Amino acid sequence: MKKPYEDLKLENQLCFPLYLCAKEMTHLYAPLLKQFNLTYTQYVVMMCLWERDGMNVGLLCCILLLDTNTMTPLLQKLEQKGYVERRKCSTDGRELKIFLTEKGSALRDQATELPHCISERVGLTAEESGTLYRLLYKLLDNIKEG
């Protein structure tokens, strides 16, 4: 017979190792990102913009699952660092688009080794990484649908 509080043990929680891994991954990136004067969250914003420059703030928030109250100060900091420029859309003044500056575009070339450094550090094979990636996105999709 199952004990009544068995489900409350940390060792029986999926959320706990996910939380720990997320926290530790962020810590793993910190010293590498320091050379670029970026936080992890600023880095993921930059990665989005490296893929699609000129993205509007709403789409950026949607992709990163961040609200505008979080995104606005992030973008302000990136703008102060000279990496991005915020511009109102010419067809709709309410829409704000984010563009990389020359400095922000150049940062992409400087950051190309980051994924490799992290991959070496976490020590998963390409197959294990792929499986974990798919499972995490399946979990995320299930949570968002529910």
Side-chain angles (χ1 to χ4, degrees):
M1 181 174 185
K2 193 174 180 182
K3 295 180 182 176
Y5 300 114
E6 195 69 19
D7 288 343
L8 293 177
K9 287 185 175 181
L10 281 177
E11 67 191 43
N12 294 329
Q13 305 302 310
L14 178 60
C15 61
F16 189 62
L18 284 170
Y19 160 76
L20 293 177
C21 283
K23 185 172 74 71
E24 292 304 312
M25 284 295 282
T26 302
H27 287 295
L28 199 56
Y29 272 94
L32 298 173
L33 293 172
K34 190 174 188 173
Q35 64 186 310
F36 306 114
N37 192 23
L38 290 174
T39 65
Y40 179 76
T41 311
Q42 291 168 346
Y43 174 59
V44 295
V45 168
M46 293 300 292
M47 284 193 292
C48 282
L49 293 170
W50 290 331
E51 286 182 39
R52 185 174 168 190
D53 194 15
M55 192 179 296
N56 73 40
V57 174
L59 181 57
L60 201 50
C61 288
C62 185
I63 291 169
L64 299 178
L65 298 179
L66 295 172
D67 60 36
T68 54
N69 291 337
T70 302
M71 185 62 70
T72 299
L74 265 171
L75 294 172
Q76 288 171 339
K77 289 276 190 193
L78 289 171
E79 192 169 35
Q80 289 167 3
K81 293 173 186 189
Y83 292 144
V84 302
E85 181 178 281
R86 297 176 298 157
R87 295 186 219 148
K88 288 187 178 185
C89 180
S90 58
T91 56
D92 182 353
R94 297 170 296 172
E95 186 179 354
L96 196 59
K97 292 194 174 206
I98 311 303
F99 292 90
L100 292 166
T101 61
E102 193 173 307
K103 184 179 177 182
S105 291
L107 189 63
R108 182 183 195 181
D109 292 332
Q110 297 168 31
T112 56
E113 286 300 311
L114 286 175
H116 179 69
C117 291
I118 295 298
S119 180
E120 279 186 351
R121 183 67 175 82
V122 297
L124 296 177
T125 66
E127 184 181 339
E128 289 169 332
S129 291
T131 299
L132 180 59
Y133 182 89
R134 285 186 298 280
L135 287 172
L136 288 171
Y137 269 101
K138 180 179 180 179
L139 177 63
L140 183 59
D141 287 343
N142 290 345
I143 290 169
K144 285 171 36 179
E145 287 174 8

